[in-house]
Amino acid sequence: MIRQEKMTVVAQKQIATNIFELTLQGQLVQDMSPGQFVHVKVSNTFEPLLRRPISIANVDKEKNEFTMIYRAEGRGTKFLATNRENEIVDVLGPLGNGFPVEAAKPGQTALLVGGGIGVPPLHELAKQLNARGVKTIHVLGFQSENVCFYEEQFNALGDTYFATVDGTKGTKGFVTTVFDEVKPEFDLFYSCGPLPMLRALEGYYPEKEGYLSFEERMGCGIGACFACVCDTTEGYGKDYVKVCSDGPVFPKGVVAL
Amino acid sequence: MSRLNLQLPGLDLKNPIMPASGCFGFGREYAQLYNLSKLGAIMIKATTVETRKGNPTPRVAETSAGMLNAIGLQNPGIEKVMAEELKFLESYDVPVIANVAGTEVADYVEVAERISKATNVKALELNISCPNVKCGGIQFGTDPETARQLTAAVNAVSTVPVYVKLSPNVTNIVDIAKAVEAGGADGITMINTLVGMRLDERTGKPVIANGTGGLSGPAIKPVAIRMVYDVYKAVNIPIIGMGGVTCAQDVIDFMSAGASAVAVGTANFVDHFVCPTIIEELPDLLDTLNVDHISGIIGRSHR
């Protein structure tokens, strides 16, 4: 169920250049699943005005805490980065439909492919897949070493490969360069990242079952404003989908890339 | 709540608060959050004869205390709106104001004739002010004679009162207001968004795929207040005011300028519970103003 809650900041720390990890506590954690997102009001004034959609990186239902990882780049996220312990953040969520964890059967192997700020939701997904006996392989693409994060956390859950555009960490190039090098064997894939990456992935493994998480500029975050629509592929049955409420995760082949 | 009820042509309002068209879809999403029967009315998303796909993305961009949008009247077409969306809203005790759009007079007439027959549609809102579509919309709302003729044509076929939504993107909004009153409008809703543009800081190109978009949010409230103030003096039909409303005080401001009811738009995206919150807060605000009934506020700036 979607709720709006004043959540309490448990911790805020910088984990890479301009990349922050914010831990919040509150009741709506109980309804969260991997791949969903929250809509955060970053300021109590009209400046900036709109909420920010941010993915869920960790969920701890026992402690009522969740973690989001975001890049403090624009006005809103820079504002969010100023929050300190015990301060209050207005959160609407959880929103959207997340990754189908149950699509992977115990004993299978899942390939998790993330790009930049699309990496965080894969962490909670990897945790939950491992918990149900699914082996995970992680291929994570970043621009440069200074913006990489969560190496230890992903290593603890399965084989993890990095690709950086400038070659400062892992393989020089893109996630597809890693596929060529490593030739990972897996049963299905899950991915979140920029559109060119999702497009490349869909083309790379046409025979595999896969789930892609999309990003599009949003207004309301709940499906009312029609800002974040995407065209669908021919024969899907619907002309368009809304990223915020129909997604952000779709089976591959639904959204026209 | 009896301190907040109001009667407008076709509309028996429990309170003067309604979500503005385009900011509330057809109500389904917000129905997950609160009981829609709390609202005075619901202005549903613009409806056209055929399914409309809308504009390419990005369709929204944030601006200082506001946002630009160029959705492009995306909607499933009148048949689906009536069969699915209006049907869904029947389960709530709330009057619906159907926003009618088209590319030519015949489209408006067809949508108006059909949608006004829906049992829960109590009034029409004629959309002659959408700035985001190439055909239809704003060009009907910028020339007084065209606006009058369209209003008259729709009025002739509608079985419920017709409100006309005015554009602020004109030299003299009062002329348009008078023209639609002469055309038989039962009321006016105002204002629609202001045409604007934002450029990307890195590329220098427009952020919105459409180039321009409609500016809404708190940034436009002073413009809207001024226009409601001017139109109130010039016409004898009621006004539903909107443009940057975010709180109960904004509602009082619009009603003081001359609005009989107030629609909330962009604020629904920022605080998804803003409409019920305003409805809850209004009685206390009336107390501080020593006003028994909200109707006592209407047009007080002119007295």
Side-chain angles (χ1 to χ4, degrees):
Chain A
M1 188 185 147
I2 302 169
R3 280 179 282 183
Q4 192 170 323
E5 187 175 352
K6 307 279 189 204
M7 301 187 82
T8 308
V9 176
V10 174
Q12 167 100 271
K13 62 179 178 201
Q14 189 169 351
I15 57 172
T17 304
N18 290 337
I19 307 288
F20 289 80
E21 180 191 67
L22 177 61
T23 306
L24 296 171
Q25 189 177 53
Q27 283 305 314
L28 57 83
V29 172
Q30 293 303 321
D31 300 326
M32 290 177 174
S33 59
Q36 287 188 297
F37 67 97
V38 291
H39 218 195
V40 183
K41 179 107 180 73
V42 293
S43 145
N44 291 324
T45 69
F46 299 138
E47 197 54 37
L49 181 67
L50 297 175
R51 287 175 174 266
R52 291 332 193 231
I54 299 178
S55 65
I56 295 163
N58 286 290
V59 180
D60 186 337
K61 292 191 178 178
E62 276 179 23
K63 288 185 177 169
N64 254 354
E65 290 176 6
F66 85 103
T67 304
M68 51 187 175
I69 294 170
Y70 59 95
R71 183 167 55 220
E73 194 181 26
R75 284 184 305 166
T77 41
K78 276 182 185 159
F79 214 101
L80 190 60
T82 64
N83 279 287
R84 295 290 171 261
E85 209 178 316
N86 294 324
E87 287 185 344
I88 300 296
V89 179
D90 180 343
V91 180
L92 182 81
L95 300 176
N97 299 298
F99 290 110
V101 181
E102 69 294 341
K105 308 281 174 287
Q108 285 191 318
T109 300
L111 178 69
L112 274 52
V113 185
I117 214 65
V119 169
L122 299 180
H123 185 247
E124 179 60 29
L125 174 68
K127 277 165 56 185
Q128 294 201 15
L129 287 172
N130 277 274
R132 70 193 305 261
V134 175
K135 192 179 161 203
T136 57
I137 301 170
H138 320 112
V139 180
L140 312 175
F142 293 94
Q143 281 297 320
S144 178
E145 184 181 19
N146 66 328
V147 289
C148 290
F149 54 87
Y150 267 35
E151 181 175 9
E152 255 177 56
Q153 286 89 332
F154 277 104
N155 271 331
L157 293 164
D159 291 345
T160 302
Y161 304 92
F162 283 86
T164 49
V165 176
D166 65 1
T168 46
K169 185 174 183 67
T171 300
K172 182 174 173 23
F174 300 100
V175 291
T176 46
T177 327
V178 176
F179 301 157
D180 290 335
E181 272 183 18
V182 178
K183 299 194 171 35
E185 288 189 8
F186 62 94
D187 298 291
L188 77 173
F189 65 81
Y190 297 92
S191 184
C192 182
L195 210 55
M197 192 196 86
L198 300 180
R199 195 182 290 132
L201 181 62
E202 208 178 88
Y204 222 84
Y205 296 114
E207 78 289 359
K208 297 284 189 189
E209 179 185 356
Y211 300 90
L212 309 175
S213 182
F214 289 81
E215 196 184 70
E216 186 54 77
R217 217 175 277 249
M218 291 180 190
C220 69
I222 62 170
C225 76
F226 288 69
C228 64
V229 297
C230 285
D231 287 338
T232 51
T233 50
E234 250 184 79
Y236 174 63
K238 276 172 82 175
D239 291 339
Y240 63 88
V241 285
K242 299 174 196 166
V243 170
C244 70
S245 55
D246 297 324
V249 177
F250 297 97
K252 76 165 198 192
V254 169
V255 174
L257 294 166
Chain B
M1 278 297 170
S2 61
R3 300 176 72 189
L4 300 181
N5 69 322
L6 287 156
Q7 307 285 325
L8 265 66
L11 301 167
D12 186 2
L13 305 176
K14 288 191 237 31
N15 60 70
I17 305 305
M18 57 192 77
S21 180
C23 299
F24 209 70
F26 294 94
R28 283 181 191 273
E29 293 79 15
Y30 287 87
Q32 303 170 77
L33 305 180
Y34 59 84
N35 183 355
L36 302 182
S37 301
K38 289 181 180 182
L39 299 166
I42 294 176
M43 294 166 140
I44 57 170
K45 192 161 170 49
T47 300
T48 51
V49 178
E50 306 291 343
T51 304
R52 274 194 70 112
K53 212 169 160 236
N55 291 326
T57 57
R59 297 172 163 191
V60 292
E62 198 175 40
T63 58
S64 298
M67 66 174 266
L68 294 165
N69 90 81
I71 306 297
L73 302 182
Q74 180 157 26
N75 79 93
I78 183 157
E79 205 166 311
K80 276 197 174 163
V81 168
M82 289 190 70
E84 295 168 19
E85 309 299 346
L86 287 170
K87 191 87 197 150
F88 165 78
L89 285 171
E90 275 178 16
S91 50
Y92 297 94
D93 174 27
V94 62
V96 174
I97 301 173
N99 187 292
V100 173
T103 53
E104 50 189 86
V105 176
D107 297 340
Y108 281 93
V109 167
E110 184 180 345
V111 175
E113 188 169 15
R114 289 169 66 182
I115 211 163
S116 66
K117 292 193 176 80
T119 53
N120 48 347
V121 169
K122 303 298 182 191
L124 302 186
E125 180 180 51
L126 205 50
N127 188 345
I128 59 166
S129 47
C130 176
N132 297 324
V133 289
K134 285 195 181 76
C135 274
I138 200 164
Q139 88 260 24
F140 287 104
T142 48
D143 174 60
E145 183 51 24
T146 312
R148 187 193 65 78
Q149 284 174 11
L150 181 66
T151 306
V154 167
N155 207 26
V157 297
S158 176
T159 57
V160 295
V162 176
Y163 292 70
V164 182
K165 187 165 188 175
L166 301 189
S167 168
N169 303 300
V170 293
T171 310
N172 189 343
I173 198 167
V174 169
D175 287 348
I176 312 283
K178 284 180 179 166
V180 300
E181 184 181 33
D186 298 281
I188 283 168
T189 68
M190 61 186 292
I191 58 173
N192 207 319
T193 53
L194 290 135
V195 181
M197 184 183 268
R198 184 184 140 193
L199 303 180
D200 183 279
E201 292 78 4
R202 285 160 298 177
T203 64
K205 301 264 170 51
V207 171
I208 287 189
N210 197 45
T212 60
L215 178 65
S216 63
I220 72 165
K221 187 188 146 193
V223 178
I225 292 282
R226 187 268 293 179
M227 290 183 161
V228 169
Y229 184 92
D230 286 350
V231 168
Y232 178 81
K233 283 191 293 189
V235 299
N236 293 306
I237 48 177
I239 298 165
I240 300 175
M242 68 198 80
V245 174
T246 65
C247 61
Q249 182 57 53
D250 290 343
V251 173
I252 298 295
D253 291 351
F254 269 88
M255 295 184 80
S256 300
S260 295
V262 176
V264 183
T266 304
N268 286 296
F269 304 160
V270 180
D271 174 0
H272 294 66
F273 294 85
V274 66
C275 287
T277 302
I278 288 175
I279 293 163
E280 243 170 66
E281 288 174 356
L282 272 174
D284 282 349
L285 201 46
L286 292 182
D287 284 344
T288 64
L289 296 168
N290 285 320
V291 175
D292 291 335
H293 193 274
I294 190 128
S295 57
I297 298 287
I298 301 168
R300 67 178 176 145
S301 64
H302 301 271
R303 295 197 281 267

